[in-house]
């Protein structure tokens, strides 16, 4: 699932600290924070497009594909949980590079509607 980054703001991690981080807003996700990372800073300086992806896990689907309401609700419930995201930047047309890979990025969908309208795509990561 692919979520396009709308805004990235540099901010202090806390008011007393010199540590910097980024507050990121992506389509369909709650705002989340990422610690300062040089690769992200470089991507922002070059105005490269950013995306946040939710890697697809096979366990999200039952062994047998069910189509009843209960199965659909279980699937949506699983997708509504917080997840470890990957932050990517587009380096060429439809080719992406992972950035801020040393940071654990955890976020979750805003609501059921954002889950159902998420972009599902296969990306080439180089």
């Amino acid at each position: 699932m692919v979520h396009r980054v709308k805004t990235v703001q540099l901010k202090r991690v806390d008011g007393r600290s010199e540590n910097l981080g980024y507050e990121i807003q992506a389509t369909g996700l709650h705002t989340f924070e990422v610690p300062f990372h040089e690769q992200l800073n470089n991507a922002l300086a070059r105005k490269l497009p950013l995306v946040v992806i939710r890697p697809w896990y096979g366990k999200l689907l039952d062994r047998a594909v069910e189509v009843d309401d209960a199965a659909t609700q279980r699937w949506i419930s699983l997708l509504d949980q917080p997840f470890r995201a990957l932050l990517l930047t587009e380096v060429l047309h439809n080719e992406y590079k992972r950035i801020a890979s040393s940071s654990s990025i955890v976020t979750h969908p805003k609501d059921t509607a954002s889950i159902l309208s998420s972009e599902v795509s296969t990306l080439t990561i180089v």
Side-chain angles (χ1 to χ4, degrees), residues 39-118:
Q39 282 182 316
L40 177 54
N41 201 44
N42 290 340
L44 292 171
R46 294 175 49 206
K47 298 186 184 203
L48 297 174
L50 300 172
V51 295
V52 176
I53 64 165
R54 176 187 200 131
W56 189 255
Y57 298 108
K59 72 177 186 177
L60 288 174
L61 293 176
D62 293 331
R63 290 179 190 254
V65 178
E66 302 173 36
V67 216
D68 62 5
D69 288 341
T72 301
Q73 286 305 315
R74 282 193 306 274
W75 184 72
I76 290 173
S77 177
L78 285 170
L79 290 175
D80 194 33
Q81 301 299 311
F83 64 94
R84 289 183 182 245
L86 301 178
L87 182 61
L88 307 175
T89 184
E90 191 169 2
V91 290
L92 293 172
H93 184 66
N94 291 329
E95 288 188 353
Y96 294 83
K97 180 179 179 184
R98 187 172 174 192
I99 58 175
S101 58
S102 60
S103 302
S104 178
I105 301 169
V106 178
T107 188
H108 62 282
K110 286 183 179 178
D111 53 27
T112 302
S114 65
I115 294 169
L116 297 173
S117 64
S118 291

Side-chain angles (χ1 to χ4, degrees), residues 2 4 51 53 88 94 96 119 121-125:
V2 179
R4 305 280 169 198
V51 295
I53 64 165
L88 307 175
N94 291 329
Y96 294 83
E119 176 186 345
S121 183
T122 302
L123 302 179
T124 302
I125 301 175

Side-chain angles (χ1 to χ4, degrees), residues 10-11 13 19-22 34-42 100 102-103:
L10 185 62
K11 60 179 269 183
V13 173
N19 294 332
L20 296 174
Y22 296 97
V34 175
F36 181 84
H37 197 280
E38 195 61 40
Q39 282 182 316
L40 177 54
N41 201 44
N42 290 340
S102 60
S103 302

